Amino acid sequence: LYAPELRMLLPGWEGPNGCLATDHITVLGKPVGWCYRERPDGQYPDSGWRFFSGEEDDAYVNDVSHVGVYDLNTICNYDPDIIPLLDSEPGTAWCRDQSGVFRPELYQPDEE
């Protein structure tokens, strides 16, 4: 199991700080490879951020035992490269390219 020593990396973050991340990141220690922000759920302290390694298939992601709710600061400790992305508007997505740089990606949110 990989768990970083948690540091406060988002001291000025305002607003909800909950997010979803897969076990690829929090258990296996893989970097975030793909993430998107959907409109936050107003009933929870949800930032709208969803984080994946990019190697998960649909079956893995759809199994709730592989996805957890975390504080944004926790996921930033696992992968600080996401910090510059966090002010992105809902409806945006980012994919890490082969050189390790995050690039914007088209994202079509599910319509409720």
Side-chain angles (χ1 to χ4, degrees):
L1 295 178
Y2 168 77
E5 183 177 328
L6 293 181
R7 299 166 295 158
M8 176 50 74
L9 298 177
L10 299 175
W13 181 260
E14 294 184 15
N17 60 350
C19 66
L20 298 179
T22 70
D23 288 350
H24 273 217
I25 297 162
T26 59
V27 175
L28 301 178
K30 295 182 179 192
V32 173
W34 188 71
C35 57
Y36 65 91
R37 189 175 194 188
E38 59 186 22
R39 189 161 312 286
D41 185 332
Q43 296 182 30
Y44 305 99
D46 179 22
S47 67
W49 277 107
R50 312 298 181 241
F51 299 101
F52 308 86
S53 72
E55 298 174 14
E56 304 92 341
D57 61 21
D58 287 343
Y60 184 91
V61 173
N62 290 330
D63 181 343
V64 295
S65 71
H66 296 294
V67 180
V69 177
Y70 297 92
D71 186 286
L72 273 176
N73 188 73
T74 300
I75 304 305
C76 290
N77 273 267
Y78 279 95
D79 190 347
D81 292 349
I82 65 171
I83 294 171
L85 310 178
L86 296 181
D87 286 327
S88 300
E89 292 294 320
T92 56
W94 297 88
C95 184
R96 194 184 299 261
D97 67 19
Q98 290 184 355
S99 66
V101 175
F102 278 106
R103 304 281 182 208
E105 185 169 274
L106 288 176
Y107 166 65
Q108 197 69 314
D110 293 334
E111 295 299 321
E112 301 279 327

